[in-house]
Each structure stands twice: as structure tokens, then as C-alpha cells.
Amino acid sequence: MFPLKTAFISPHPEGAAIALRLKLPLRLSPRLPYEFNLSLKDIISIGLTILGITVISGVCYLTSGLAHPIFAYEGDYVSFRTRAEILTKEEIEQRELEEWTSRTNYKYRGQLVSRPAKGVVHVKTTKWINNRPVKVNIVEINQKANSNLQIKPKTASEDVLNRKATIRNIARTENSIVAINGGYFKPQTGVPLGTLVIDKNVLTGPVYNRVALGINSDNSFSMDKSTIDITLRAKKLEIKADNINQPRMLSTYTLVYTEKWGKMSPPAPKYGMAISIKDGQILGHNFGSIEIPKGGYAVVGPRQKIEPLLSAKNIALDINFSETFEKSEHIIGGGPYLVKNGQMYVDIKEQRFGAINGKNPRTAIGYTENNELIIVTVDGREETSVGMTLWEISRLMKDLGCKYAMNLDGGGSSVIYVKGKIENRPAYKEGIAISNAIVVNEIQAEAETIAVGMNETM
């Protein structure tokens, strides 16, 4: 036993109202009787001290038992272990699917909702703006609820850029669940105008550094203004190019053209030159157009800039986008912004768009804080659906929960395809022929087992 300290005993004057006189014969030895006068306060102090000692002793006992496994439980020791609950990939996705289904049922309550695939919800609704109707199609995609969903851009032709096709024909080539029209393109040829990267293969570069959507390898998304850095390198030689597979905007530009552009490069500008390169070697040069070699590329630009390459060997072509897109498997350009950092943001002038802010058919794409992709089409130019301005669709995308969103090609190009059916009412039946689209496919993948850390002592 620990000795009690006398400081815990507070003697009170005889006759005090709060004192309790107790006569306790406490013998510490047979020959020395002692008598103590204890008040109520003294008794409480002693009781609290004993309680404290008991608690401390118990903690010490348990601590020593945990630190030194020599206390008997099963035989001579206690074993402690952590058990992880093992869930399959399908079980984890099923949990996410159930939670997301509940959230979207509430989010789109009172509207016409269908679910064409696991992790995909399609909503048809009519909005009223200034007492005028606007027909809207919304598709929300959650890859955490179905990791077999694949989202990517797709061109009208696998071989060349200067082709167009209806969205139904583009979607059918991969049996897509959902497809919407993509970025801008040159109507005469179908060549995309703006950034387009598919499976890390750079097809076209940005126009005016307009905003682009990155679809990342980890099923996340990125959005930023798109900038490109193109460099031709050889020993003691480095030449910058301005763009890839895009029409010439200035005579001073140096442009790179791959076989996706077609058989021949565009003609060189006045006082310009074109060269063809394959496997790092110059195949030929010309002062007009030049044949683009298969597996190689052509460079077209001012003669004084291109001519030094003629004597170079082992030429390397480096193409890089900004850090925002370093994880992106696919990138597709559009513009302008509609939502940035969760706020309405429409930068028409900065991205050099003309008069596109009237009430028109619209296509928009964005993503939420939780990386759920949201795509929207708006019908317009008719009495039953008057269309939206850019600011109106900006508000809609924000209200749908987008952290970032951007405008895609609109007008006659706006069309949405869901499970084999064109769901909106474009100006032309099936929609006009377009250059590129964004498609959603469901691929098959092997089941996976994942450990979820639910700690439990046994």
C-alpha cells in the first residue's frame, strides 16, 4: 500500500458546524492507540485518493499486459491482431452504386429518369427561363460505381482527320452506351479545330489556347486552357513549331503535319519551305506541298527557320501539353469556360469567340468534386425549346454540381445519343455530320480483390 499523506487530512476546530467528530481506534502497534477527528471533507478526500490509486494501478496493469505478452489468456499469452475486411471490386462498386443511385434519385426527383447502364443516369427535363421552355437532356456518369465505363473522344475516321459522320455512326463503331458531339471543326473538311488527343496520340493542337477537358488514366478529369510545346531537336539544333495538324493562321507559323492530316501537306507560305521526316531523317524538301510519309511527318514554315534542318540527323519531335494534362490519356478542346472552381465563368472574349452568346442549341460537359462526369444538350431555335445563352447554360452546369465545365460545339452539331436512340431534337434528323464525338463505352475487365481497412481486435 502507498502511505496516505497527512496533507489530505484537514483538522477542523472543535464545535465547527461542518466538522464530523469520529472516534476511531486506529492501532499501528499494540502499544500505541491513536484517535483521529475526521471531517466529512477528510472522508471524501481519502475516498478520492483510494479511487485514484485503484484507477492508476489498473492502467499500469493493462499497459504492462499489452507491452509484455506474458499474461495468460490462451495458454501463456494474449494475442492481438488486425483483421481487414476483404471486399471484391464488385462489392465496393455495388456500395458506391447504391449510394449514388440514392443521391441521383433525390437530385433528379420529379424528372424523367432512366439508367441505361450501371453507373449511368439519363434525365430528360424541361426548364423554364423567362416563361419560355427549354428542353434539356442530362447524362451523369460515375466510374466509381462501374469502373468498366470508358470515356474518350472519337473521330469520324480512324485513318484521317478530314472526315465527318453522324453521331449514330460514330457511336456504333464501338457499341457506345452514350455519345455526344465533341469539339469544333472546320465545316468544309471536318478537321478538328482545337486540341484533340486520343490514347496519348496527339491528333491536333489548340486554337487560341482555348479550354480543354483532360480524361485521366485514374478516371479523374482535368480542365484548363490548353497550351502546347512542340520542339524539333537535333545535335546543336532546336527549332520550335507552333502547332500540329491545324490550318495556318499566320505566314510566320511553323506547323507539323502527320499522316492523319492526309497524303499531302498544305502548301508552304510565301518564302517558305516544306520538309518530310521519318525515323529522324530528312526524306525530302519542297517549296510547295510535300508528301507526308507513313509513320513520319512533314514540317512546313518560313524557309529561314526550316532550312537548318536539311543538314541535321537524328531529328526528334517532342510534343508536350501543360502540367494540368500530364496524367491525361485523352484531351478534347472546346470553349469557352462555363464553370471554373465551382463558380460561373464565361470567358468569351479571352478565348476569341464571335457572336455565339445568343439563345442556341448547346452541348456542355463538366465534372463534379467527386469526378462524376456531367454532359448536357439543350434544344433550341424552336417554339417548344428556345435554347440557352452561354450564361444560362453556365448556371445550369453549376446547379448540376459541376466544379469545372466548358462549352462544346453547338447549334446544328448539338446531339445526344443514348442506348441506340437520338434523345434530343436536332435541327436535322439524326443531327448533322460531325468531325468528332465523346463516347461512353462499357468494357469487360477481370474481377479484383481489394482490402478495405476495417480494423478489429480479436
Side-chain angles (χ1 to χ4, degrees):
M1 289 290 293
F2 296 104
L4 293 177
K5 295 183 179 180
T6 56
F8 287 111
I9 302 174
S10 301
H12 298 279
E14 187 139 343
I18 62 170
L20 176 64
R21 183 179 176 84
L22 296 176
K23 191 173 183 179
L24 299 176
L26 179 59
R27 292 183 179 275
L28 300 181
S29 77
R31 297 181 180 181
L32 298 172
Y34 289 86
E35 187 175 288
F36 283 75
N37 292 330
L38 299 178
S39 69
L40 180 59
K41 183 176 180 181
D42 296 329
I43 293 171
I44 292 171
S45 298
I46 293 169
L48 291 174
T49 302
I50 293 170
L51 179 61
I53 292 169
T54 303
V55 171
I56 292 169
S57 298
V59 171
C60 292
Y61 176 83
L62 289 175
T63 303
S64 63
L66 288 171
H68 305 286
I70 60 174
F71 295 86
Y73 178 72
E74 293 179 359
D76 295 324
Y77 64 94
V78 177
S79 65
F80 294 89
R81 68 186 179 88
T82 300
R83 187 182 71 174
E85 180 186 1
I86 305 301
L87 298 178
T88 65
K89 176 181 174 183
E90 288 75 15
E91 288 170 333
I92 293 171
E93 290 183 2
Q94 185 61 32
R95 289 185 179 185
E96 173 67 28
L97 178 64
E98 289 170 0
E99 293 174 3
W100 178 72
T101 300
S102 178
R103 291 198 308 272
T104 50
N105 281 341
Y106 179 79
K107 179 178 180 179
Y108 299 114
R109 63 194 181 280
Q111 300 170 57
L112 185 60
V113 175
S114 64
R115 298 186 181 273
K118 188 172 75 169
V120 180
V121 61
H122 172 221
V123 182
K124 293 178 76 73
T125 188
T126 299
K127 303 287 184 183
W128 290 85
I129 301 175
N130 297 327
N131 295 319
R132 303 190 72 186
V134 183
K135 291 183 178 178
V136 180
N137 277 270
I138 304 163
V139 171
E140 186 169 326
I141 301 157
N142 184 348
Q143 289 175 287
K144 296 188 294 296
N146 184 359
S147 59
N148 292 338
L149 294 174
Q150 179 191 67
I151 304 163
K152 62 186 293 186
K154 186 166 178 58
T155 52
S157 168
E158 294 290 333
D159 301 319
V160 291
L161 296 172
N162 58 346
R163 294 286 187 276
K164 295 183 289 182
T166 64
I167 200 162
R168 183 186 295 277
N169 288 334
I170 294 174
R172 277 177 173 171
T173 60
E174 296 195 17
N175 196 27
S176 300
I177 301 165
V178 175
I180 57 165
N181 63 290
Y184 301 99
F185 60 94
K186 194 169 184 179
Q188 298 88 341
T189 63
V191 173
L193 294 174
T195 302
L196 187 60
V197 177
I198 300 178
D199 295 322
K200 294 189 175 181
N201 182 23
V202 182
L203 301 181
T204 54
V207 172
Y208 301 126
N209 296 336
R210 288 172 176 164
V211 63
L213 171 75
I215 302 168
N216 303 329
S217 55
D218 60 357
N219 289 344
S220 65
F221 304 98
S222 305
M223 191 173 288
D224 199 357
K225 286 189 176 180
S226 178
T227 59
I228 195 168
D229 185 281
I230 304 174
T231 308
L232 293 145
R233 302 181 194 277
K235 188 177 181 180
K236 297 181 180 180
L237 182 64
E238 187 174 289
I239 294 173
K240 291 287 186 181
D242 296 283
N243 218 327
I244 179 170
N245 289 336
Q246 290 289 260
R248 177 173 298 281
M249 294 185 178
L250 294 174
S251 62
T252 55
Y253 277 6
T254 298
L255 301 171
V256 174
Y257 294 96
T258 70
E259 58 186 304
K260 291 285 188 180
W261 177 266
K263 186 177 180 180
M264 301 294 293
S265 75
K270 188 177 182 181
Y271 309 117
M273 174 182 282
I275 60 174
S276 60
I277 303 172
K278 183 177 180 180
D279 298 327
Q281 307 302 315
I282 301 291
L283 299 184
H285 69 280
N286 203 333
F287 299 104
S289 296
I290 197 165
E291 185 174 351
I292 303 171
K294 287 194 174 297
Y297 55 94
V299 182
V300 184
R303 180 174 177 177
Q304 68 270 22
K305 194 171 181 181
I306 300 294
E307 204 165 34
L309 286 168
L310 292 177
S311 59
K313 296 181 180 180
N314 300 319
I315 301 167
L317 176 63
D318 294 334
I319 304 175
N320 295 290
F321 285 89
S322 62
E323 188 177 346
T324 302
F325 302 108
E326 63 182 0
K327 294 182 183 178
S328 298
E329 298 278 341
H330 319 289
I331 309 173
I332 185 165
Y337 266 113
L338 297 175
V339 180
K340 186 177 181 181
N341 262 336
Q343 302 299 317
M344 294 171 61
Y345 181 77
V346 181
D347 54 342
I348 303 172
K349 290 182 179 179
E350 293 87 340
Q351 297 196 30
R352 301 191 191 185
F353 282 101
I356 64 167
N357 196 31
K359 284 185 177 290
N360 288 302
R362 301 281 178 194
T363 303
I365 191 165
Y367 57 94
T368 69
E369 185 76 39
N370 295 322
N371 277 304
E372 292 130 348
L373 189 73
I374 294 179
I375 56 180
V376 170
T377 60
V378 172
D379 288 344
R381 301 174 185 166
E382 56 187 54
E383 285 298 317
T384 56
S385 184
V386 296
M388 284 187 178
T389 68
L390 287 170
W391 281 104
E392 287 167 349
I393 197 169
S394 169
R395 178 174 293 281
L396 173 61
M397 297 303 281
K398 180 179 182 296
D399 290 345
L400 290 173
C402 289
K403 184 179 179 182
Y404 284 89
M406 71 180 191
N407 191 55
L408 290 170
D409 193 11
S413 298
S414 286
V415 62
I416 186 166
Y417 167 101
V418 181
K419 207 75 172 177
K421 184 181 177 184
I422 304 298
E423 290 288 351
N424 66 328
R425 291 186 60 183
Y428 299 93
K429 187 179 179 181
E430 297 285 300
I432 65 172
I434 57 176
S435 160
N436 60 92
I438 298 172
V439 298
V440 182
N441 308 320
E442 188 167 19
I443 58 175
Q444 296 300 317
E446 294 182 3
E448 234 179 280
T449 299
I450 301 175
V452 178
M454 289 182 57
N455 294 333
E456 187 177 302
T457 57
M458 296 286 292

